[in-house]
């Protein structure tokens, strides 16, 4: 049985190869083919160096395997010599069966300033895999420039959350900008009705956000307290550590007995991270209990994640360092309003409001 190459082995191969792509070649945009895999790994290495926090992007064999599953659909910009100079993908980033994330948008430095980036995204968004029956395309835009936000605006993506500094600094820029924030958005493909419970603390913010998204939701007040929640069963949480990014993602499968204790336990097990994110289901009465327990652990508002668990979820977040909210580049008015919500809640938490 063949042993899978490690991250370091894949990086060592790319490092030693020192491959150079010839500029000025003619480029076609096409769906990923297995022979593109090494070129995709080379593109990640050329743009991100050894800093990208996901291992499989440097592993050609793993890229081929994932592309034949329903977890990822890549589109590449391929030159006449077979070099991959552009990439965009739809990929699974949430437990949901109803959304895929659009991202991994990369253009080689020598091929920027052309229409390649737009052609890659158009190919993906105009041809989402029909057999999956997707209800939406999830996207993230960096907040250290406006290019990806302009792209989201062009494709009528609807802003829904703001993640404060989950991405590490770009290679070679640690002293210039620092960690990078992300705007989350959704392109709605099918607007099907659903019900959500709004925790009292964030009732006003969530009503405003749902107004922007235009999603067909019945907005219900959350009324179940700790005594009632304790009777619904155990609290179940899962966590995913992205050590290279200094990020811990905690997803709440159910809010029940001992939620505060279970959350504290997970945080103790993963001390030393830069950013902590908490995703709480909104389709069950009782989410306010989780929100208040999270506040006591230093979590503040992030926004809503539509269809994250096939149904909607609330994003809360905790940061180790004091965020520099003023450095974020924000394009749309709704996004600016969301930034104000997030900053105001952080200040209240830290008695600065």
């Amino acid at each position: 049985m063949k042993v899978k190459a490690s991250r370091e082995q894949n990086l060592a191969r790319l490092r030693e190869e020192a491959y150079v792509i010839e500029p000025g070649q003619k480029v076609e945009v096409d769906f990923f083919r297995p022979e593109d895999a090494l070129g995709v790994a080379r593109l990640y290495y050329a743009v991100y160096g050894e800093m990208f926090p996901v291992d499989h992007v440097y592993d050609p064999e793993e890229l081929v395997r994932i592309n034949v599953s329903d977890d990822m659909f890549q589109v590449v910009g391929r030159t006449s010599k077979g070099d991959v100079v552009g990439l965009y993908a739809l990929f699974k980033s949430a437990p949901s069966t109803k959304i895929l994330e659009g991202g991994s948008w990369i253009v080689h430095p020598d091929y920027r300033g052309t229409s390649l980036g737009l052609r890659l995204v158009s190919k993906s968004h105009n041809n989402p895999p029909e057999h999956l029956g997707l209800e939406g395309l999830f996207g993230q835009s960096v907040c250290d420039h406006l290019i990806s936000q302009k792209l989201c605006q062009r494709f009528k993506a609807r802003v829904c959350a703001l993640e404060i500094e989950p991405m590490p600094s770009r290679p070679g820029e640690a002293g210039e900008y620092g960690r990078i924030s992300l705007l989350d958005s959704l392109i709605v493909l099918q607007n099907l009705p659903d019900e959500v419970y709004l925790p009292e603390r964030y009732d006003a913010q969530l009503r405003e956000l749902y107004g922007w998204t235009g999603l067909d939701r019945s907005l219900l007040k959350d009324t179940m307290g700790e005594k009632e929640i304790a009777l619904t069963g155990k609290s179940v949480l899962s966590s995913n550590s992205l050590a290279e990014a200094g990020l811990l993602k905690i997803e709440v499968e159910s809010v029940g007995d001992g939620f505060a204790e279970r959350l504290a336990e997970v945080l103790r097990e993963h001390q030393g991270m830069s950013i902590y994110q908490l995703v709480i289901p909104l389709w069950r009465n009782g989410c306010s209990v989780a929100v208040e327990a999270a506040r006591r652990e230093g979590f503040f508002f992030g926004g809503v994640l539509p269809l994250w668990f096939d149904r909607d979820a609330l994003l809360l977040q905790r940061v180790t360092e004091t965020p520099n909210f003023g450095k974020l580049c924000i394009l749309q008015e709704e996004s600016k309003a969301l930034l104000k919500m997030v900053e105001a809640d952080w200040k209240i938490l830290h008695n600065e409001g």
Side-chain angles (χ1 to χ4, degrees):
M1 182 177 178
K2 188 174 181 179
V3 178
K4 179 181 175 181
S6 68
R7 177 188 177 93
E8 181 50 43
Q9 287 173 324
N10 286 314
L11 286 171
R13 173 183 49 76
L14 292 166
R15 189 185 309 127
E16 293 165 7
E17 177 186 49
Y19 189 80
V20 177
I21 293 176
E22 178 185 334
Q25 299 179 64
K26 185 177 180 180
V27 182
E28 68 168 342
V29 171
D30 193 12
F31 292 109
F32 174 92
R33 299 193 301 229
E35 54 265 37
D36 296 321
L38 178 56
V40 171
R42 286 169 172 166
L43 179 62
Y44 270 99
Y45 191 77
V47 174
Y48 290 99
E50 303 185 10
M51 300 299 293
F52 201 83
V54 179
D55 294 348
H56 74 251
V57 304
Y58 300 115
D59 188 337
E61 292 187 2
E62 189 68 5
L63 285 166
V64 172
R65 186 193 68 80
I66 297 175
N67 267 282
V68 298
S69 72
D70 285 340
D71 291 343
M72 185 163 69
F73 298 83
Q74 289 184 324
V75 169
V76 302
R78 187 188 305 118
T79 73
S80 53
K81 291 184 177 180
D83 293 323
V84 175
V85 295
L87 179 71
Y88 192 81
L90 302 179
F91 55 91
K92 189 175 180 66
S93 61
S96 177
T97 61
K98 298 181 179 180
I99 58 173
L100 288 176
E101 180 173 346
S104 301
W105 190 36
I106 311 173
V107 176
H108 190 280
D110 290 337
Y111 288 82
R112 293 172 186 169
T114 70
S115 63
L116 176 57
L118 183 58
R119 290 166 59 202
L120 290 163
V121 181
S122 297
K123 180 81 169 178
S124 299
H125 287 196
N126 293 335
N127 297 277
E130 292 185 8
H131 72 280
L132 294 180
L134 298 176
E135 293 182 25
L137 297 178
F138 178 73
Q140 295 185 312
S141 302
V142 294
C143 295
D144 58 336
H145 60 70
L146 296 176
I147 296 173
S148 53
Q149 293 178 53
K150 290 178 180 178
L151 185 71
C152 284
Q153 186 178 45
R154 181 186 183 103
F155 284 92
K156 299 181 180 178
R158 302 168 184 184
V159 63
C160 56
L162 174 59
E163 302 182 23
I164 298 300
E165 301 179 355
M167 280 183 61
S169 305
R170 298 186 191 278
E173 297 181 8
E176 297 177 23
Y177 186 88
R179 295 185 67 91
I180 298 168
S181 297
L182 299 171
L183 272 169
D184 297 340
S185 60
L186 185 74
I187 296 174
V188 179
L189 301 177
Q190 300 183 68
N191 194 359
L192 303 181
D194 200 0
E195 295 181 344
V196 293
Y197 289 90
L198 305 185
E200 182 177 358
R201 182 178 291 275
Y202 297 127
D203 184 279
Q205 293 96 321
L206 290 172
R207 287 181 187 277
E208 188 169 358
L209 273 173
Y210 274 115
W212 299 339
T213 63
L215 290 166
D216 187 355
R217 298 291 185 265
S218 296
L219 306 180
L220 308 176
K221 287 192 174 183
D222 184 61
T223 57
M224 192 177 288
E226 290 189 17
K227 291 183 179 179
E228 295 89 350
I229 276 290
L231 301 175
T232 64
K234 292 184 177 181
S235 294
V236 180
L237 289 73
S238 61
S239 61
N240 179 26
S241 174
L242 300 175
E244 293 84 0
L247 170 65
L248 182 73
K249 291 189 173 185
I250 308 169
E251 292 182 342
V252 179
E253 297 176 27
S254 62
V255 180
D257 187 37
F259 180 84
E261 292 79 6
R262 181 69 186 109
L263 176 60
E265 180 183 0
V266 173
L267 294 173
R268 282 195 301 272
E269 292 170 352
H270 297 277
Q271 297 182 48
M273 305 298 280
S274 298
I275 308 295
Y276 297 82
Q277 295 181 343
L278 182 66
V279 184
I280 302 171
L282 286 175
W283 68 90
R284 296 191 181 107
N285 202 354
C287 53
S288 291
V289 172
V291 167
E292 296 309 315
R295 291 284 293 184
R296 293 192 291 271
E297 294 288 352
F299 284 84
F300 59 98
F301 186 70
V304 66
L305 299 176
L307 302 170
W308 192 258
F309 297 106
D310 282 348
R311 303 179 73 180
D312 297 356
L314 172 70
L315 173 68
L316 301 182
Q317 51 198 329
R318 187 176 90 174
V319 299
T320 303
E321 303 293 334
T322 300
N324 182 354
F325 293 102
K327 74 176 181 180
L328 275 63
C329 298
I330 303 293
L331 179 64
Q332 294 177 284
E333 290 305 313
E334 291 88 351
S335 303
K336 293 176 182 178
L338 176 57
L339 171 58
K340 288 181 180 179
M341 289 182 197
V342 172
E343 183 176 4
D345 197 49
W346 182 88
K347 287 183 175 179
I348 291 170
L349 188 68
H350 294 82
N351 298 313
E352 295 184 19

